[in-house]
Amino acid sequence: MKAEPMRAVVISGPGVATLEHIERWTPLPGEVLVRCAAAAICTTERRVFSGDLPYYPAIGGHEVAGVVEQVDDDQSDLKPGDRVALDGANRCRRCYYCIKGRDNLCVDFFKPRKESRYVMIGGGFAEYTTALPSQVLKLPDSVSMEQASLMEPLACCINSLKKAHLTSGDTVAVVGAGTMGAIHMLLAKHLGAKTIVSDVDEQRLQLVKELGADVIVNPAVDDPVQVVKDHTEGRGADAVIVAASTKKGGEQGLLLVGPAGRVIFYASLYPKGMIDLDWNRIHYQEISISGTEGCTHKDFQEAVELAGSGAINVGPLISRVITLEELPGELASKPAGETQRVVVKP
């Protein structure tokens, strides 16, 4: 018997995304079928569309929430009708990194979980997607579907900020005031830190100011290094989060940190590039530099708990809600993204 059809937006090449009717997924034994309710558009999907990440044909939407439609696992406590967020990453639980508790670096992290003629990047840009029960987290009633689509970004920032080793009263400088920079700021405030946010976009700066940033600075107008020193008795920031995908942003982050400080490179850089490091400053001032990739499953659980408790509200970071029909036009008109997240409701 032929499977029922469903709608999905397929990115088939650079600059090409179309709404198509494809066969609805048939969940394999042990899988959960989820009816997608909201999927945020991440920089990843925009880079696939632009050609920076040439994975085709792709169905994006890895920041996704929905409703359980079917469960084929007797051991799971999931049931049809459950509101859930999906942790779409593959975590084998057997490799060196999974055993070490670093399952965000699992050797199978980017490996397709099952055969498909599509490159599945979450699958939230369709009416249905499938997942393993271990990838499905129940949502508190207090978290809307739109907010739940940002649980994966929140989890990634939780993983990132853990590397900053913050204590109450620390000063955190965030380079980049987009969605991810704003979430870092919210988390740092939650942990009792003073926050200074730098960005060349005044609209972004005003948004993070409204969300609680203590200090904002536009490096095109003022010297961010001096601003940070003015607010830290000349020391520099205790931690710096680089959430801007530019070489200048990375170099600025290294200048903002103080002695014994930590610099976390959250953002990736496309196309790839190199930045200069002051070897002696890193040596004599004991500066730590760290990268961060994705999130662990524990980070994802913490994200759902934080949002459910009301401690972190990601709602203001959603700019618009659009339909699947509007998604190809959105990708074409703004391939670099917006200040806030656009959420798709299939």
Side-chain angles (χ1 to χ4, degrees), residues 77-107:
D77 64 346
L78 295 166
K79 62 184 184 301
D82 283 343
R83 301 169 67 254
V84 295
L86 270 60
D87 171 16
N90 289 327
R91 310 180 195 276
C92 74
R93 301 185 178 183
R94 300 182 303 274
C95 72
Y96 176 86
Y97 301 102
C98 284
I99 292 171
K100 286 281 190 178
R102 304 290 294 277
D103 57 32
N104 59 310
L105 299 177
C106 174
V107 296

Side-chain angles (χ1 to χ4, degrees), residues 135-198:
Q135 297 174 303
V136 181
L137 287 82
K138 291 184 181 180
L139 291 169
D141 291 339
S142 58
V143 179
S144 71
M145 284 298 183
E146 291 83 0
Q147 292 171 325
S149 69
L150 268 67
M151 290 303 97
E152 193 266 358
L154 177 57
C156 291
C157 293
I158 289 172
N159 179 42
S160 170
L161 211 54
K162 285 177 179 177
K163 296 171 174 62
H165 303 294
L166 295 182
T167 57
S168 182
D170 280 353
T171 296
V172 177
V174 181
V175 180
T179 302
M180 310 313 283
I183 293 177
H184 275 97
M185 185 276 297
L186 290 171
L187 287 169
K189 292 286 290 184
H190 174 67
L191 294 172
K194 180 177 182 179
T195 55
I196 303 172
V197 182
S198 170

Side-chain angles (χ1 to χ4, degrees), residues 327-341:
L327 177 55
E330 166 64 25
L331 292 172
S333 64
K334 297 185 179 68
E338 294 189 334
T339 298
Q340 299 149 281
R341 278 292 198 264

